Amino acid sequence: FSKDTPYLTYIKAWLTVEDLERVARSLNQEIGEDHYALIKEEISQEEIDQDEVPIKLENKSWIKPFEPITLMYTTPNYREVDPTPFVMPFYMIFFGMMMGDLGYGLLLWLGTALALKFLDLDDKMRQNLKLGHLLSYPTMIVGICYGSFFGVTLPCQMIDPMSQAMELMIISMGLGFVHLTVGLLIKTVTEWKRRNFEDMYNDGAGWLLL
């Protein structure tokens, strides 16, 4: 929110602690500390309870490209855990298992690497290409395990998806079970921290016990 008059500019905004410090330094440099007032208000419990606090995801550079996957569904509540670091390994594994070809992985790796190095990209496109680049690694690894190079069977392979479909199904179900368990554990811990024991059992711990 902002409002201008001939004598005053008023701006109200949500800021992280780090951004607030940067704003204060910029104001001091540009207009001087005697020409502005910076009024800070802490987040209230009511704002948290009513989901009024805007969410800014903060992850390391190698996790950040996976944030759009989280945002496809919803942002976490201010009191909740950011699921992106937990989404990342499972997404990489599942993507690699679906692509599962060394040749495709090499093409994805080379194409994204060249684009990131030589093209002038906006932040969103750069993050998308970083995501593709990261996903090229599990694609190549699983491709080696499948012994597949552009659909051609390599001399060495750990598992043949065509003749060992049942074994691959068991592995997939096992990974899905681990994925589901991690999600329920996060839900259980989140509700326990809130002291919301009914939801902790109904939506988390109860399913884990089952």
Side-chain angles (χ1 to χ4, degrees):
F1 173 78
S2 64
K3 184 175 179 61
D4 285 313
T5 73
Y7 308 102
L8 176 69
T9 297
Y10 172 79
I11 300 173
K12 182 179 180 180
W14 296 89
L15 290 172
T16 64
V17 173
E18 295 78 9
D19 289 337
L20 183 63
E21 293 172 353
R22 285 195 287 269
V23 167
R25 287 196 299 269
S26 297
L27 288 172
N28 285 335
Q29 294 172 0
E30 296 296 329
I31 62 177
E33 59 182 346
D34 296 331
H35 295 83
Y36 76 91
L38 189 60
I39 302 170
K40 295 174 281 188
E41 295 182 5
E42 293 292 332
I43 296 170
S44 68
Q45 189 60 46
E46 181 181 359
E47 289 171 326
I48 295 174
D49 292 338
Q50 296 180 2
D51 284 339
E52 294 180 359
V53 184
I55 304 301
K56 179 183 179 182
L57 302 181
E58 293 185 341
N59 291 291
K60 296 186 181 299
S61 59
W62 48 279
I63 299 177
K64 194 172 184 63
F66 292 85
E67 288 180 357
I69 300 169
T70 298
L71 297 177
M72 283 172 58
Y73 300 94
T74 184
T75 54
N77 180 274
Y78 185 77
R79 298 171 299 182
E80 293 176 340
V81 175
D82 178 4
T84 307
F86 302 96
V87 169
M88 183 196 74
F90 290 106
Y91 194 90
M92 292 184 74
I93 292 170
F94 297 149
F95 186 92
M97 291 183 69
M98 288 187 292
M99 293 291 287
D101 189 281
L102 177 58
Y104 296 151
L106 285 170
L107 276 182
L108 185 60
W109 181 86
L110 182 62
T112 53
L114 291 174
L116 287 168
K117 185 172 181 61
F118 295 110
L119 297 182
D120 183 18
L121 306 165
D122 58 37
D123 289 340
K124 185 176 181 180
M125 181 57 69
R126 180 167 292 276
Q127 290 301 322
N128 288 337
L129 286 172
K130 283 184 178 179
L131 176 61
H133 189 74
L134 289 169
L135 293 175
S136 70
Y137 292 98
T139 301
M140 290 187 285
I141 292 171
V142 176
I144 293 172
C145 294
Y146 288 172
S148 176
F149 186 81
F150 291 119
V152 178
T153 302
L154 299 174
C156 56
Q157 59 180 171
M158 295 178 60
I159 183 170
D160 182 2
M162 301 301 293
S163 63
Q164 295 177 284
M166 188 55 67
E167 288 88 342
L168 189 59
M169 178 67 73
I170 292 171
I171 293 171
S172 300
M173 291 181 67
L175 288 169
F177 177 79
V178 174
H179 186 207
L180 183 62
T181 301
V182 170
L184 291 171
L185 281 171
I186 293 172
K187 179 64 175 178
T188 301
V189 172
T190 299
E191 297 302 339
W192 178 77
K193 288 181 177 179
R194 292 180 176 181
R195 296 294 187 267
N196 189 352
F197 299 114
E198 183 178 353
D199 286 346
M200 182 191 78
Y201 178 79
N202 290 337
D203 298 333
W207 287 103
L208 287 170
L209 291 172
L210 181 63

Short mmCIF file of all heavy atoms in Angstrom, two decimals, residues 82-125:
data_model
loop_
_atom_site.label_atom_id
_atom_site.label_comp_id
_atom_site.label_asym_id
_atom_site.label_seq_id
_atom_site.Cartn_x
_atom_site.Cartn_y
_atom_site.Cartn_z
N ASP A 82 8.60 -25.56 5.03
CA ASP A 82 8.66 -25.46 3.57
C ASP A 82 8.96 -26.87 3.04
O ASP A 82 10.03 -27.44 3.32
CB ASP A 82 9.78 -24.49 3.18
CG ASP A 82 9.94 -24.38 1.66
OD1 ASP A 82 9.15 -24.99 0.93
OD2 ASP A 82 10.87 -23.67 1.23
N PRO A 83 8.04 -27.46 2.26
CA PRO A 83 8.26 -28.84 1.81
C PRO A 83 9.23 -28.97 0.64
O PRO A 83 9.57 -30.10 0.26
CB PRO A 83 6.85 -29.28 1.38
CG PRO A 83 6.20 -28.02 0.92
CD PRO A 83 6.75 -26.93 1.82
N THR A 84 9.70 -27.88 0.08
CA THR A 84 10.52 -27.95 -1.14
C THR A 84 11.76 -28.84 -0.98
O THR A 84 12.04 -29.65 -1.88
CB THR A 84 10.95 -26.54 -1.58
OG1 THR A 84 9.81 -25.70 -1.69
CG2 THR A 84 11.66 -26.58 -2.93
N PRO A 85 12.53 -28.74 0.13
CA PRO A 85 13.69 -29.64 0.25
C PRO A 85 13.31 -31.11 0.30
O PRO A 85 14.13 -31.97 -0.06
CB PRO A 85 14.33 -29.19 1.58
CG PRO A 85 13.86 -27.79 1.79
CD PRO A 85 12.48 -27.76 1.23
N PHE A 86 12.08 -31.42 0.73
CA PHE A 86 11.63 -32.81 0.76
C PHE A 86 11.06 -33.24 -0.60
O PHE A 86 11.11 -34.41 -0.95
CB PHE A 86 10.57 -33.00 1.85
CG PHE A 86 11.06 -32.61 3.23
CD1 PHE A 86 10.80 -31.35 3.75
CD2 PHE A 86 11.77 -33.51 3.99
CE1 PHE A 86 11.24 -30.99 5.00
CE2 PHE A 86 12.23 -33.16 5.25
CZ PHE A 86 11.97 -31.90 5.76
N VAL A 87 10.51 -32.27 -1.33
CA VAL A 87 9.98 -32.56 -2.67
C VAL A 87 11.13 -32.88 -3.62
O VAL A 87 11.03 -33.79 -4.46
CB VAL A 87 9.18 -31.36 -3.19
CG1 VAL A 87 8.86 -31.52 -4.68
CG2 VAL A 87 7.88 -31.19 -2.40
N MET A 88 12.24 -32.16 -3.48
CA MET A 88 13.34 -32.23 -4.44
C MET A 88 13.85 -33.66 -4.68
O MET A 88 13.88 -34.11 -5.84
CB MET A 88 14.48 -31.33 -3.99
CG MET A 88 15.66 -31.30 -4.97
SD MET A 88 17.16 -30.62 -4.26
CE MET A 88 17.65 -31.97 -3.19
N PRO A 89 14.28 -34.41 -3.65
CA PRO A 89 14.86 -35.73 -3.95
C PRO A 89 13.87 -36.70 -4.58
O PRO A 89 14.24 -37.46 -5.49
CB PRO A 89 15.33 -36.23 -2.57
CG PRO A 89 14.55 -35.45 -1.58
CD PRO A 89 14.31 -34.12 -2.21
N PHE A 90 12.62 -36.68 -4.12
CA PHE A 90 11.63 -37.59 -4.69
C PHE A 90 11.30 -37.21 -6.13
O PHE A 90 11.15 -38.09 -6.99
CB PHE A 90 10.36 -37.59 -3.84
CG PHE A 90 10.55 -38.24 -2.50
CD1 PHE A 90 10.63 -37.48 -1.34
CD2 PHE A 90 10.66 -39.62 -2.39
CE1 PHE A 90 10.81 -38.08 -0.11
CE2 PHE A 90 10.84 -40.23 -1.15
CZ PHE A 90 10.92 -39.46 -0.01
N TYR A 91 11.19 -35.91 -6.39
CA TYR A 91 10.90 -35.48 -7.77
C TYR A 91 12.02 -35.90 -8.71
O TYR A 91 11.77 -36.36 -9.83
CB TYR A 91 10.71 -33.96 -7.80
CG TYR A 91 10.09 -33.45 -9.07
CD1 TYR A 91 8.71 -33.33 -9.19
CD2 TYR A 91 10.87 -33.08 -10.15
CE1 TYR A 91 8.12 -32.86 -10.36
CE2 TYR A 91 10.31 -32.61 -11.33
CZ TYR A 91 8.93 -32.50 -11.42
OH TYR A 91 8.36 -32.04 -12.58
N MET A 92 13.27 -35.75 -8.24
CA MET A 92 14.41 -36.13 -9.07
C MET A 92 14.41 -37.63 -9.34
O MET A 92 14.65 -38.07 -10.47
CB MET A 92 15.71 -35.71 -8.38
CG MET A 92 15.91 -34.21 -8.30
SD MET A 92 17.51 -33.74 -7.57
CE MET A 92 18.63 -34.14 -8.92
N ILE A 93 14.13 -38.42 -8.31
CA ILE A 93 14.12 -39.88 -8.47
C ILE A 93 13.01 -40.31 -9.43
O ILE A 93 13.24 -41.08 -10.36
CB ILE A 93 13.96 -40.58 -7.11
CG1 ILE A 93 15.21 -40.37 -6.25
CG2 ILE A 93 13.70 -42.07 -7.29
CD1 ILE A 93 15.04 -40.81 -4.81
N PHE A 94 11.79 -39.78 -9.21
CA PHE A 94 10.66 -40.18 -10.04
C PHE A 94 10.85 -39.73 -11.49
O PHE A 94 10.52 -40.46 -12.43
CB PHE A 94 9.35 -39.62 -9.47
CG PHE A 94 9.01 -40.15 -8.10
CD1 PHE A 94 8.30 -39.39 -7.20
CD2 PHE A 94 9.39 -41.43 -7.73
CE1 PHE A 94 7.99 -39.88 -5.94
CE2 PHE A 94 9.08 -41.93 -6.48
CZ PHE A 94 8.38 -41.15 -5.58
N PHE A 95 11.38 -38.51 -11.68
CA PHE A 95 11.63 -38.03 -13.03
C PHE A 95 12.65 -38.92 -13.72
O PHE A 95 12.49 -39.30 -14.89
CB PHE A 95 12.13 -36.58 -12.99
CG PHE A 95 12.28 -35.94 -14.34
CD1 PHE A 95 11.25 -35.22 -14.91
CD2 PHE A 95 13.48 -36.07 -15.06
CE1 PHE A 95 11.40 -34.63 -16.16
CE2 PHE A 95 13.63 -35.49 -16.30
CZ PHE A 95 12.58 -34.77 -16.86
N GLY A 96 13.73 -39.24 -13.00
CA GLY A 96 14.76 -40.10 -13.57
C GLY A 96 14.23 -41.46 -13.95
O GLY A 96 14.59 -42.01 -15.00
N MET A 97 13.34 -42.02 -13.12
CA MET A 97 12.78 -43.33 -13.42
C MET A 97 11.84 -43.28 -14.63
O MET A 97 11.75 -44.25 -15.39
CB MET A 97 12.03 -43.87 -12.20
CG MET A 97 12.94 -44.23 -11.04
SD MET A 97 12.05 -44.93 -9.65
CE MET A 97 11.55 -46.52 -10.33
N MET A 98 11.15 -42.17 -14.81
CA MET A 98 10.25 -42.06 -15.96
C MET A 98 11.02 -41.84 -17.26
O MET A 98 10.68 -42.43 -18.29
CB MET A 98 9.26 -40.91 -15.73
CG MET A 98 8.19 -41.21 -14.69
SD MET A 98 6.92 -39.94 -14.58
CE MET A 98 7.84 -38.57 -13.91
N MET A 99 12.05 -41.00 -17.23
CA MET A 99 12.85 -40.77 -18.44
C MET A 99 13.78 -41.96 -18.68
O MET A 99 13.72 -42.60 -19.72
CB MET A 99 13.66 -39.48 -18.29
CG MET A 99 12.82 -38.23 -18.24
SD MET A 99 12.05 -37.85 -19.82
CE MET A 99 13.46 -37.29 -20.76
N GLY A 100 14.64 -42.24 -17.72
CA GLY A 100 15.44 -43.45 -17.70
C GLY A 100 16.24 -43.75 -18.95
O GLY A 100 16.23 -44.89 -19.42
N ASP A 101 16.94 -42.77 -19.49
CA ASP A 101 17.73 -43.00 -20.69
C ASP A 101 18.97 -42.11 -20.65
O ASP A 101 18.86 -40.89 -20.48
CB ASP A 101 16.90 -42.70 -21.95
CG ASP A 101 17.61 -43.14 -23.22
OD1 ASP A 101 18.50 -42.39 -23.67
OD2 ASP A 101 17.28 -44.21 -23.75
N LEU A 102 20.12 -42.75 -20.80
CA LEU A 102 21.38 -42.02 -20.74
C LEU A 102 21.48 -40.99 -21.86
O LEU A 102 21.95 -39.86 -21.64
CB LEU A 102 22.55 -43.01 -20.82
CG LEU A 102 23.96 -42.41 -20.85
CD1 LEU A 102 24.22 -41.55 -19.61
CD2 LEU A 102 25.00 -43.52 -20.96
N GLY A 103 21.04 -41.32 -23.04
CA GLY A 103 21.12 -40.39 -24.17
C GLY A 103 20.26 -39.17 -23.96
O GLY A 103 20.71 -38.03 -24.18
N TYR A 104 19.01 -39.36 -23.52
CA TYR A 104 18.12 -38.23 -23.26
C TYR A 104 18.68 -37.35 -22.14
O TYR A 104 18.59 -36.12 -22.18
CB TYR A 104 16.72 -38.72 -22.88
CG TYR A 104 16.00 -39.45 -23.98
CD1 TYR A 104 15.06 -40.44 -23.68
CD2 TYR A 104 16.26 -39.18 -25.32
CE1 TYR A 104 14.39 -41.14 -24.69
CE2 TYR A 104 15.60 -39.86 -26.33
CZ TYR A 104 14.67 -40.84 -26.01
OH TYR A 104 14.02 -41.52 -27.01
N GLY A 105 19.26 -38.00 -21.13
CA GLY A 105 19.85 -37.25 -20.03
C GLY A 105 21.01 -36.39 -20.48
O GLY A 105 21.16 -35.24 -20.05
N LEU A 106 21.85 -36.94 -21.36
CA LEU A 106 22.98 -36.17 -21.89
C LEU A 106 22.51 -34.98 -22.70
O LEU A 106 23.07 -33.88 -22.61
CB LEU A 106 23.88 -37.08 -22.74
CG LEU A 106 24.76 -38.06 -21.97
CD1 LEU A 106 25.40 -39.06 -22.93
CD2 LEU A 106 25.83 -37.32 -21.18
N LEU A 107 21.48 -35.18 -23.53
CA LEU A 107 20.93 -34.07 -24.32
C LEU A 107 20.36 -32.98 -23.41
O LEU A 107 20.57 -31.79 -23.64
CB LEU A 107 19.83 -34.58 -25.25
CG LEU A 107 20.25 -35.17 -26.60
CD1 LEU A 107 19.02 -35.57 -27.40
CD2 LEU A 107 21.08 -34.16 -27.39
N LEU A 108 19.63 -33.40 -22.37
CA LEU A 108 19.05 -32.44 -21.43
C LEU A 108 20.14 -31.68 -20.71
O LEU A 108 20.06 -30.46 -20.52
CB LEU A 108 18.14 -33.18 -20.44
CG LEU A 108 17.35 -32.33 -19.44
CD1 LEU A 108 16.42 -31.36 -20.16
CD2 LEU A 108 16.56 -33.23 -18.49
N TRP A 109 21.18 -32.39 -20.31
CA TRP A 109 22.31 -31.77 -19.60
C TRP A 109 23.01 -30.75 -20.49
O TRP A 109 23.27 -29.62 -20.08
CB TRP A 109 23.29 -32.84 -19.16
CG TRP A 109 24.48 -32.30 -18.41
CD1 TRP A 109 24.57 -32.05 -17.07
CD2 TRP A 109 25.74 -31.92 -18.98
NE1 TRP A 109 25.81 -31.53 -16.76
CE2 TRP A 109 26.55 -31.44 -17.92
CE3 TRP A 109 26.25 -31.94 -20.27
CZ2 TRP A 109 27.85 -31.00 -18.13
CZ3 TRP A 109 27.56 -31.48 -20.48
CH2 TRP A 109 28.33 -31.03 -19.43
N LEU A 110 23.32 -31.15 -21.72
CA LEU A 110 24.05 -30.28 -22.64
C LEU A 110 23.22 -29.07 -23.04
O LEU A 110 23.70 -27.93 -23.02
CB LEU A 110 24.47 -31.07 -23.88
CG LEU A 110 25.28 -30.30 -24.92
CD1 LEU A 110 26.61 -29.84 -24.32
CD2 LEU A 110 25.53 -31.18 -26.15
N GLY A 111 21.95 -29.28 -23.37
CA GLY A 111 21.10 -28.18 -23.80
C GLY A 111 20.90 -27.13 -22.72
O GLY A 111 21.01 -25.93 -22.98
N THR A 112 20.62 -27.58 -21.50
CA THR A 112 20.41 -26.62 -20.41
C THR A 112 21.72 -25.94 -20.02
O THR A 112 21.72 -24.75 -19.69
CB THR A 112 19.80 -27.33 -19.20
OG1 THR A 112 20.60 -28.48 -18.84
CG2 THR A 112 18.38 -27.78 -19.47
N ALA A 113 22.83 -26.67 -20.04
CA ALA A 113 24.12 -26.07 -19.68
C ALA A 113 24.51 -24.96 -20.65
O ALA A 113 24.96 -23.88 -20.25
CB ALA A 113 25.21 -27.15 -19.64
N LEU A 114 24.33 -25.21 -21.96
CA LEU A 114 24.66 -24.19 -22.96
C LEU A 114 23.73 -22.98 -22.84
O LEU A 114 24.19 -21.83 -22.95
CB LEU A 114 24.56 -24.80 -24.36
CG LEU A 114 25.61 -25.85 -24.72
CD1 LEU A 114 25.31 -26.47 -26.08
CD2 LEU A 114 27.01 -25.23 -24.71
N ALA A 115 22.46 -23.23 -22.61
CA ALA A 115 21.51 -22.12 -22.49
C ALA A 115 21.83 -21.26 -21.27
O ALA A 115 21.80 -20.03 -21.34
CB ALA A 115 20.08 -22.67 -22.39
N LEU A 116 22.16 -21.89 -20.16
CA LEU A 116 22.48 -21.14 -18.94
C LEU A 116 23.76 -20.33 -19.10
O LEU A 116 23.89 -19.25 -18.51
CB LEU A 116 22.62 -22.11 -17.76
CG LEU A 116 21.33 -22.72 -17.22
CD1 LEU A 116 21.61 -23.87 -16.27
CD2 LEU A 116 20.48 -21.66 -16.52
N LYS A 117 24.68 -20.83 -19.90
CA LYS A 117 25.97 -20.15 -20.06
C LYS A 117 25.92 -19.00 -21.06
O LYS A 117 26.52 -17.95 -20.83
CB LYS A 117 27.05 -21.16 -20.47
CG LYS A 117 28.45 -20.56 -20.55
CD LYS A 117 29.48 -21.62 -20.78
CE LYS A 117 30.89 -21.03 -20.84
NZ LYS A 117 31.28 -20.35 -19.58
N PHE A 118 25.17 -19.20 -22.14
CA PHE A 118 25.28 -18.25 -23.24
C PHE A 118 24.06 -17.37 -23.47
O PHE A 118 24.16 -16.35 -24.15
CB PHE A 118 25.60 -19.00 -24.55
CG PHE A 118 26.94 -19.68 -24.55
CD1 PHE A 118 27.02 -21.07 -24.50
CD2 PHE A 118 28.10 -18.94 -24.57
CE1 PHE A 118 28.26 -21.70 -24.48
CE2 PHE A 118 29.35 -19.57 -24.57
CZ PHE A 118 29.43 -20.94 -24.52
N LEU A 119 22.90 -17.72 -22.94
CA LEU A 119 21.70 -16.94 -23.21
C LEU A 119 21.43 -15.93 -22.11
O LEU A 119 21.74 -16.17 -20.93
CB LEU A 119 20.49 -17.87 -23.36
CG LEU A 119 20.51 -18.86 -24.52
CD1 LEU A 119 19.22 -19.66 -24.56
CD2 LEU A 119 20.74 -18.14 -25.86
N ASP A 120 20.86 -14.79 -22.51
CA ASP A 120 20.45 -13.76 -21.56
C ASP A 120 19.02 -14.08 -21.11
O ASP A 120 18.07 -13.88 -21.88
CB ASP A 120 20.53 -12.38 -22.21
CG ASP A 120 20.18 -11.26 -21.23
OD1 ASP A 120 20.22 -11.51 -20.01
OD2 ASP A 120 19.86 -10.15 -21.69
N LEU A 121 18.86 -14.56 -19.89
CA LEU A 121 17.58 -15.10 -19.43
C LEU A 121 17.06 -14.29 -18.25
O LEU A 121 17.83 -13.78 -17.44
CB LEU A 121 17.76 -16.56 -19.00
CG LEU A 121 18.38 -17.51 -20.03
CD1 LEU A 121 18.83 -18.79 -19.36
CD2 LEU A 121 17.38 -17.81 -21.14
N ASP A 122 15.72 -14.20 -18.17
CA ASP A 122 15.15 -13.62 -16.96
C ASP A 122 15.21 -14.66 -15.84
O ASP A 122 15.53 -15.83 -16.06
CB ASP A 122 13.72 -13.15 -17.19
CG ASP A 122 12.79 -14.26 -17.67
OD1 ASP A 122 12.94 -15.41 -17.20
OD2 ASP A 122 11.90 -14.00 -18.50
N ASP A 123 14.91 -14.22 -14.62
CA ASP A 123 15.08 -15.09 -13.46
C ASP A 123 14.22 -16.35 -13.54
O ASP A 123 14.66 -17.45 -13.20
CB ASP A 123 14.74 -14.33 -12.17
CG ASP A 123 15.79 -13.28 -11.84
OD1 ASP A 123 16.91 -13.40 -12.36
OD2 ASP A 123 15.48 -12.34 -11.07
N LYS A 124 12.97 -16.20 -14.00
CA LYS A 124 12.06 -17.34 -14.07
C LYS A 124 12.56 -18.39 -15.05
O LYS A 124 12.59 -19.59 -14.73
CB LYS A 124 10.66 -16.88 -14.46
CG LYS A 124 9.62 -17.99 -14.45
CD LYS A 124 8.23 -17.46 -14.75
CE LYS A 124 7.20 -18.58 -14.71
NZ LYS A 124 5.83 -18.08 -15.01
N MET A 125 12.98 -17.96 -16.24
CA MET A 125 13.47 -18.90 -17.23
C MET A 125 14.78 -19.55 -16.77
O MET A 125 15.01 -20.74 -17.00
CB MET A 125 13.68 -18.19 -18.57
CG MET A 125 14.16 -19.11 -19.68
SD MET A 125 13.06 -20.51 -19.98
CE MET A 125 11.64 -19.66 -20.69
#
